[in-house]
Amino acid sequence: MWKMTLKQRRRRGELVAELDALKRNPYSKIPNDYVHGENPEEDEKYESALRTLQTIVEEMQEIELAARDG
């Protein structure tokens, strides 16, 4: 890993913890037999989990790029 600042390391640790919590979320994996549009409330829960994952990954990437570029 590149040289990260203390603040970057702490934030990355927080993001990893959020990612671990998201892995345990039942809505983080869409079942194979799930039909989108059948239940709007369920759709929103799955979409929210995916948005959260996207946000976490993007922020982790930004931190790692900032650390690499110095």
Side-chain angles (χ1 to χ4, degrees), residues 13-67:
E14 292 169 356
L15 291 170
V16 169
E18 287 180 36
L19 189 59
D20 288 340
L22 186 61
K23 287 179 190 177
R24 292 185 297 276
N25 183 339
Y27 291 101
S28 64
K29 295 181 183 174
I30 301 173
N32 293 333
D33 61 344
Y34 184 76
V35 178
H36 184 72
E38 201 170 88
N39 185 342
E41 291 175 10
E42 291 290 307
D43 291 346
E44 178 56 35
K45 291 176 183 177
Y46 284 115
E47 291 169 6
S48 175
L50 291 174
R51 281 193 304 271
T52 302
L53 174 63
Q54 182 179 5
T55 303
I56 291 170
V57 170
E58 287 175 355
E59 189 171 347
M60 286 178 78
Q61 183 179 21
E62 288 174 11
I63 289 170
E64 290 177 2
L65 287 174

Side-chain angles (χ1 to χ4, degrees), residues 1-6 8-9 63-70:
M1 182 127 343
W2 308 284
K3 292 188 178 195
M4 289 187 179
T5 64
L6 180 59
Q8 289 171 328
R9 283 194 306 263
I63 289 170
E64 290 177 2
L65 287 174
R68 183 185 68 192
D69 296 339

